[in-house]
Amino acid sequence: MLSLLDLLGTIGGSILGLPGILGTAFGMMTRNWFVAAGLGGITGLLSPLVLGGSHSTHVPITLTEYAVSITVGLIAGLVGCAIRHKGATV
């Protein structure tokens, strides 16, 4: 069972980690909302695989980590696209 503090730590780690930063950067590279969300979601999907689990110590990647990472990646991609749209109108 995941406690509330663990969930908040997972969300904060995803926002400050690869899904949040790269999702925003990939979202800023395009003006298409669907492409931005897709790139952010792919980043969120791949980041737990690259940095999350450890095969040598048998640390599993939980479904909650995947869900939070993909959600944060999608939102970060959309925020990056919104930054690009707003910056283009100024």
Side-chain angles (χ1 to χ4, degrees):
M1 184 70 187
L2 191 69
S3 68
L4 182 64
L5 191 58
D6 288 336
L7 180 63
L8 289 176
T10 303
I11 293 170
S14 289
I15 291 172
L16 295 175
L18 222 54
I21 302 298
L22 280 182
T24 305
F26 287 147
M28 289 176 69
M29 289 179 7
T30 181
R31 290 179 148 212
N32 190 344
W33 295 98
F34 296 113
V35 172
L39 288 172
I42 289 172
T43 304
L45 178 68
L46 293 178
S47 68
L49 292 175
V50 173
L51 300 174
S54 173
H55 295 290
S56 62
T57 58
H58 304 290
V59 176
I61 304 169
T62 62
L63 184 64
T64 307
E65 290 179 18
Y66 276 120
V68 166
S69 181
I70 291 171
T71 304
V72 167
L74 286 170
I75 293 171
L78 292 174
V79 166
C81 191
I83 291 170
R84 171 114 184 196
H85 277 277
K86 185 64 178 172
T89 59
V90 173

